[in-house]
Amino acid sequence: MHTKSATAWWRRVAMALGMLALLPGAAQAGPTLEAVRARDAVLCGISPGMLGFSHPGTAPGSWEGMDVDICRAVAAAVLGSGDKVKFVHLQVDERLPALREGRFDILAFAVSVTMSRDTSMGAQATVVTYYDGQGFLVPTASKLRTTRQLRGKPICVTTTGSSEQTLQEYSNAQKMDFRLLRFARFKEAIEAYMARRCAAISADATSLAVVRRTQTPLPADHVILPELISKEPLGPLVRRGDEEWASIVSWVVRGLIAAEEHGLTRANVVQQAASNPNAEVQRMLGRSGDTGKMIGLERDWLLNALRATGNYGEIFARNVGADSPLGLPRGLNALWNHGGLQYALPIR
């Protein structure tokens, strides 16, 4: 074959292969999915104890919380059982380094998704599971009811995470002249607050709700001020560089949200799979088409996840909402058609 004709032939072959790659079909298993299947378990990095998100359960050795349930849902979608998950307990300052080092597959640690974390720290964001914001906890007896009343006062804050930076930027922008009392550990900041060394402690509102509920003798003696000074969208992170795994985690969370939109619960999902005529429900539960093939999973991936944890609303209610000790309102975490921000992309 002449050189020119051979070159043209190889170009045609390359173009054909490129077109084939664009055709719909099964997703290729990435390295994380292959590792998860090989060990028959999902490794999940969580906090060693944060009420509502990850904390020891009533049964010996068990764990409960919103972050825990997200990991269980992924394990059920990938491996068929929500019990096929192993939890790695972390301190705040070791979360992202441990993710980069490959010590676990999912970081579910009430982590705020920010540009730097999603672009330059070896992590990739998936889907927001909780819309939070930084606020202030103050003693009820102080009669402080707005952030404006904190001008010039000492505020306890940690140097890990982004709370210190957010607080300083807010103080500068609003000319609040806060006197920051900085601590390396949240526990130390709480102890200083309880000893009245500062007028308020500042952190994500969910963390403050946990402090109020578990670290104070009488929760009514402390109040979270109504204003939030930042946006803190929390959600699971995965290691950057494995798009297939990021897609799996993202679509499992979206599936949990979509299930709540359609009224699919842990109790009724099997019956709904057999009788619900809605076209999207049939796709979601593997009775029509094969959405699992798109992300490298079995067709009943979402059915298994829902059987393990229930839908997003059920996860929220039992861990941080109305059925939990925290009793937090849905607020921004309500579904989009109920005044909130939780909105599932179409499963089709």
Side-chain angles (χ1 to χ4, degrees):
M1 185 179 293
H2 294 299
T3 303
K4 289 185 178 180
S5 59
T7 301
W9 182 81
W10 279 113
R11 284 177 178 170
R12 289 195 294 271
V13 170
M15 289 178 63
L17 291 174
M19 293 300 293
L20 285 173
L22 295 176
L23 293 176
Q28 297 298 311
T32 306
L33 179 57
E34 289 180 346
V36 166
R37 285 174 169 162
R39 80 170 80 91
D40 200 32
V42 172
L43 302 182
C44 183
I46 60 172
S47 165
M50 182 177 179
L51 184 65
F53 289 87
S54 58
H55 58 94
T58 53
S62 67
W63 286 84
E64 298 176 358
M66 198 162 181
D67 290 339
V68 169
D69 278 345
I70 294 299
C71 289
R72 292 194 189 284
V74 172
V78 174
L79 300 171
S81 170
D83 294 328
K84 292 187 176 184
V85 56
K86 296 179 180 179
F87 297 105
V88 181
H89 311 133
L90 305 157
Q91 296 301 322
V92 172
D93 55 356
E94 63 179 336
R95 296 176 299 182
L96 292 169
L99 177 63
R100 290 194 300 270
E101 293 165 6
R103 288 171 52 189
F104 42 80
D105 309 308
I106 304 172
L107 175 58
F109 196 129
V111 185
S112 297
V113 178
T114 65
M115 183 177 182
S116 60
R117 287 173 178 167
D118 187 44
T119 60
S120 62
M121 296 186 179
Q124 182 172 345
T126 57
V127 175
V128 174
T129 53
Y130 193 98
Y131 289 96
D132 202 358
Q134 187 167 332
F136 299 89
L137 181 71
V138 301
T140 304
S142 70
K143 298 184 179 180
L144 296 168
R145 294 298 177 264
T146 72
T147 57
R148 291 291 175 186
Q149 293 174 293
L150 291 171
R151 179 173 278 107
K153 297 186 181 298
I155 311 294
C156 287
V157 67
T158 58
T159 55
T160 52
S162 58
S163 295
E164 179 191 9
Q165 178 183 349
T166 298
L167 190 60
Q168 189 64 67
E169 290 177 355
Y170 176 80
S171 179
N172 294 342
Q174 301 298 322
K175 296 180 172 55
M176 296 294 287
D177 299 320
F178 291 147
R179 290 185 284 124
L180 304 190
L181 274 64
R182 299 172 173 86
F183 300 90
R185 302 285 183 186
F186 193 42
K187 179 181 179 181
E188 297 169 349
I190 295 170
E191 290 171 350
Y193 168 75
M194 294 302 295
R196 301 297 176 91
R197 292 177 56 192
C198 48
I201 182 172
S202 183
D204 290 355
T206 48
S207 297
L208 298 179
V210 173
V211 171
R212 182 176 179 270
R213 177 66 177 77
T214 65
Q215 302 294 316
T216 64
L218 290 173
D221 287 345
H222 303 266
V223 61
I224 299 174
L225 299 183
E227 302 101 327
L228 298 179
I229 65 172
S230 72
K231 295 181 291 184
E232 304 295 340
L234 312 180
L237 301 179
V238 297
R239 204 158 35 256
R240 181 161 291 281
D242 191 338
E243 296 297 331
E244 291 79 11
W245 184 247
S247 183
I248 287 170
V249 176
S250 295
W251 280 105
V252 169
V253 176
R254 291 172 184 141
L256 299 176
I257 297 170
E260 184 182 7
E261 292 181 1
H262 287 288
L264 305 177
T265 67
R266 177 189 270 179
N268 73 16
V269 66
V270 174
Q271 180 268 324
Q272 289 290 304
S275 62
N276 193 317
N278 182 279
E280 184 171 40
V281 168
Q282 290 296 298
R283 285 193 299 273
M284 290 166 58
L285 302 182
R287 295 303 187 263
S288 173
D290 190 352
T291 58
K293 188 177 181 181
M294 300 178 189
I295 52 176
L297 304 181
E298 299 297 325
R299 65 189 308 140
D300 57 355
W301 63 279
L302 185 53
L303 176 64
N304 289 334
L306 291 170
R307 291 176 67 181
T309 66
N311 65 41
Y312 175 83
E314 291 177 280
I315 292 172
F316 187 100
R318 70 170 169 265
N319 290 305
V320 299
D323 301 331
S324 77
L326 291 180
L328 297 175
R330 283 291 290 266
L332 294 178
N333 296 290
L335 294 179
W336 63 280
N337 51 4
H338 288 81
L341 297 178
Q342 291 295 355
Y343 182 107
L345 302 184
I347 298 179
R348 62 172 183 260

